[in-house]
Amino acid sequence: KLRSMKINSASALTAALVLLAPAAALGDNNLGNIVQDGDTNQASIVQTGNGNAAGDDDNDIEQHGVRNFLSLTQSGDNNTAGTLGWGLFQTGTLSNDAAVSNSATILQNSNGNSIGEVVQTNLGTHATTGNTLSVTQDIGDFNTARSIEQIQGDGASANFAELTQTGAHNWLEALNQRT
């Protein structure tokens, strides 16, 4: 079983390798962790099974720069993403071209899954869009999203967030977009 994965990337070659070979974990109780600095990084985490985690205080998911993309898919029961304490964090930096800041897509399928905290900041001017976030908790009951926060810096473009929860007894505690 894959227990822990840490990727530090500052080069396009490493970013390309992450895109070509997404982190896939089959089984239970796997941990996913990614740290990327720079522009145009892409990362994908796929976890199938129960009790998996992606991004926590000690093994967070971070992307810093512009045009970074994160895809996180968890299928199974009782999986967690971005536990409280900046477990999943994207920082957008200044861009003078038409680039978006950063983008993240989180998909959790099944029951009892949770998102602790997702934070996206947009610290500089972007000609088109700030950070974008799409969260879907699907095909299950008792899923929670505790804290989703997008921070728009001075002169920065607006951030966009979309949250979809299907099933019964799902809960969103806070979705905060602020300047």
Side-chain angles (χ1 to χ4, degrees), residues 6-107:
K6 185 164 187 164
I7 299 171
N8 291 307
S9 112
S11 70
L13 175 61
T14 304
L17 291 174
V18 169
L19 175 62
L20 293 175
L26 299 175
D28 299 337
N29 302 310
N30 295 296
L31 173 64
N33 159 246
I34 292 174
V35 177
Q36 294 178 316
D37 290 311
D39 299 339
T40 319
N41 293 305
Q42 296 188 18
S44 177
I45 297 175
V46 177
Q47 295 176 316
T48 302
N50 301 316
N52 297 305
D56 63 21
D57 286 338
D58 296 322
N59 298 289
D60 56 353
I61 295 174
E62 297 180 36
Q63 288 182 316
H64 306 279
V66 293
R67 294 178 303 277
N68 292 319
F69 178 76
L70 171 67
S71 173
L72 170 61
T73 302
Q74 295 177 316
S75 298
D77 294 338
N78 303 311
N79 294 307
T80 61
T83 58
L84 292 177
W86 298 72
L88 197 155
F89 182 65
Q90 287 183 313
T91 302
T93 58
L94 177 65
S95 171
N96 293 321
D97 61 12
V100 297
S101 188
N102 291 305
S103 178
T105 301
I106 301 171
L107 172 62

Side-chain angles (χ1 to χ4, degrees), residues 168-179:
H169 309 289
N170 295 313
W171 178 56
L172 168 64
E173 182 175 329
L175 172 59
N176 184 14
Q177 293 176 307
R178 62 184 172 96
T179 57

